[in-house]
Amino acid sequence: MALFKKRTVGKPGEWFYCLEHGKVEEGPDCPGKDRMGPYGSREEAQRAMQTAEERNLEWETDPKWHDKGTGGEGE
C-alpha cells in the first residue's frame, strides 16, 4: 500500500492541452510535464500551440529583452 497517492490537480471546467497526445482534455488526465494550461475553455486549449508560438515570437522580437549597449556582459 502506497503512503502517498499521486493525484493530478485541477478543477472541473479547466481545459488542458496534452503535448504527449496532441489533444485537448478537460481536467488534467496527463502528467503536468506533458500538458499546457489550464485554459478557461476548450477553444483556448485547442489554440495552445498557436498561442505559445505567438508569445515566443513576441518575446523574441521584444527590444527590452535584446537591448544592446547597456554595459552588460559581452561588451
Side-chain angles (χ1 to χ4, degrees), residues 18-60:
C18 176
L19 299 166
E20 180 75 19
H21 300 108
K23 67 176 185 138
V24 172
E25 50 190 45
E26 184 176 16
D29 289 337
C30 294
K33 67 179 183 66
D34 295 331
R35 68 177 188 253
M36 297 172 73
Y39 296 95
S41 69
R42 174 180 274 283
E43 291 75 25
E44 284 181 66
Q46 286 173 327
R47 287 184 28 101
M49 294 304 291
Q50 183 177 353
T51 300
E53 186 176 326
E54 290 167 359
R55 289 178 181 169
N56 285 342
L57 181 61
E58 187 177 315
W59 177 82
E60 290 169 359

